[in-house]
C-alpha cells in the first residue's frame, strides 16, 4: 500500500484485512506487483485531479473485479500546462 499511498496521497494500511483481501485476490489470479503498480499509475493519472473521481483511489476500487479493464487502459498523455489568457509566456 505504500506505493498507492505515495502516488495518490492516501494513507491506507497494508495490515488491513480488507485491503489485503483485494490485493491477494488479484495476485492469486496471476497478476504481478508490477501490474498492480501500473493500475495505480493509470488511475492516479486519470483521477487524482478530478474531485469527483479522486475518492475512488482506494484498494476496493483499484483491485476490484474491474482490475483487468484498468490494467488494459492506456496511460493518459500528459497535458501541457494551462496558460493564463493574455500572457505571451
Amino acid at each position: 500500500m505504500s506505493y498507492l499511498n505515495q502516488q495518490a496521497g492516501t494513507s491506507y494500511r497494508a495490515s488491513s484485512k480488507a485491503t489485503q483481501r483485494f490485493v491477494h485476490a488479484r495476485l492469486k489470479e496471476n497478476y504481478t506487483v508490477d501490474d498492480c503498480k501500473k493500475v495505480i499509475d493509470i488511475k492516479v493519472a486519470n483521477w487524482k485531479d478530478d474531485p469527483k473521481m479522486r475518492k475512488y483511489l482506494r484498494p476496493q476500487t483499484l483491485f476490484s473485479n474491474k482490475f483487468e479493464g484498468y490494467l488494459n487502459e492506456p496511460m493518459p498523455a500528459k497535458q501541457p500546462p494551462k496558460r493564463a489568457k493574455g500572457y505571451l509566456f
Side-chain angles (χ1 to χ4, degrees), residues 1-68:
M1 284 303 94
S2 61
Y3 189 77
L4 172 60
N5 290 335
Q6 180 182 21
Q7 298 304 107
T10 56
S11 56
Y12 292 101
R13 296 180 306 169
S15 61
S16 165
K17 295 294 181 192
T19 297
Q20 289 177 5
R21 187 177 71 240
F22 289 109
V23 175
H24 288 158
R26 301 300 74 84
L27 296 175
K28 284 182 181 179
E29 292 176 345
N30 294 319
Y31 291 107
T32 66
V33 172
D34 285 338
D35 292 334
C36 295
K37 288 181 177 182
K38 182 178 177 184
V39 166
I40 290 168
D41 290 340
I42 290 169
K43 299 322 286 179
V44 165
N46 282 328
W47 294 345
K48 188 174 182 181
D49 295 326
D50 182 339
K52 292 180 182 177
M53 298 304 292
R54 183 168 173 51
K55 64 184 174 185
Y56 296 111
L57 291 173
R58 58 188 186 184
Q60 60 263 43
T61 301
L62 299 173
F63 303 107
S64 70
N65 58 354
K66 295 181 180 182
F67 184 85
E68 185 174 16

